């Protein structure tokens, strides 16, 4: 059984300078997501579809999508806005804006060694 994991952020910092988003969860855990990771893991239907063509197994894997307009090291957040109390939406510098990143999704996608090790 896994310990209680909060999917409620207590603080979200989006840094365009560092090109990363920092989330502090209510259970005290901290996650840092690079913009490249977030853009690549965009959960919208369009990107899911693209990933589905490359991935054999379903589910939120770590499949890297390289679209024609996505260059690693390039993508920037134009705008970040909360969606209700459950998710955050990004507008990317490549014009893509349909990704709704639920906090549950983000928590599961936490790239820190502890979380990756427990998956
Ligand atoms: Zn998308
Ligand atoms: Zn983590």
């Amino acid at each position: 059984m896994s310990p209680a994991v909060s999917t409620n952020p207590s603080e979200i910092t989006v840094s365009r300078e560092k090109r990363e988003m920092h989330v502090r969860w209510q259970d005290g855990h901290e996650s840092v997501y690079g913009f490249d990771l977030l853009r690549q893991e965009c959960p919208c239907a369009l990107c899911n579809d693209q990933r589905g063509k490359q991935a054999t197994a379903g589910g939120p894997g770590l499949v890297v999508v390289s679209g024609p307009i996505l260059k690693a090291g390039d993508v920037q957040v134009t705008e970040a806005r909360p969606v209700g109390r459950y998710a955050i939406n990004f507008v990317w510098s490549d014009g893509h804006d349909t990704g709704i990143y639920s906090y549950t999704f983000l928590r599961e996608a936490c790239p820190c060694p502890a979380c990756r090790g427990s998956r």
Side-chain angles (χ1 to χ4, degrees):
M1 290 288 126
S2 54
V5 167
S6 176
T7 53
N8 294 313
S10 59
E11 195 183 324
I12 299 177
T13 312
V14 177
S15 169
R16 290 196 180 92
E17 205 171 315
K18 292 191 206 160
R19 300 180 62 253
E20 64 186 28
M21 175 174 72
H22 186 275
V23 179
R24 182 178 301 135
W25 303 96
Q26 284 179 6
D27 60 9
H29 193 74
E30 300 194 15
S31 307
V32 178
Y33 308 89
F35 286 176
D36 293 331
L37 174 84
L38 289 172
R39 181 62 186 85
Q40 283 162 7
E41 300 245 329
C42 176
C44 84
L46 196 72
C47 295
N48 266 332
D49 201 48
Q50 283 194 21
R51 277 191 296 267
K53 286 170 189 155
Q54 295 181 18
T56 48
L62 278 172
V63 180
V64 174
V65 167
S66 50
I69 44 178
L70 173 62
K71 280 175 281 178
D74 240 23
V75 75
Q76 182 60 276
V77 166
T78 307
E79 204 180 322
R81 51 202 173 197
V83 179
R85 263 185 286 176
Y86 73 95
I88 188 164
N89 168 238
F90 293 107
V91 179
W92 298 102
S93 54
D94 62 12
H96 194 65
D97 67 351
T98 47
I100 307 286
Y101 297 73
S102 76
Y103 296 136
T104 311
F105 169 85
L106 286 171
R107 183 65 200 244
E108 282 172 4
C110 176
C112 85
C115 291
R116 286 164 61 132
S118 74
R119 279 201 293 268

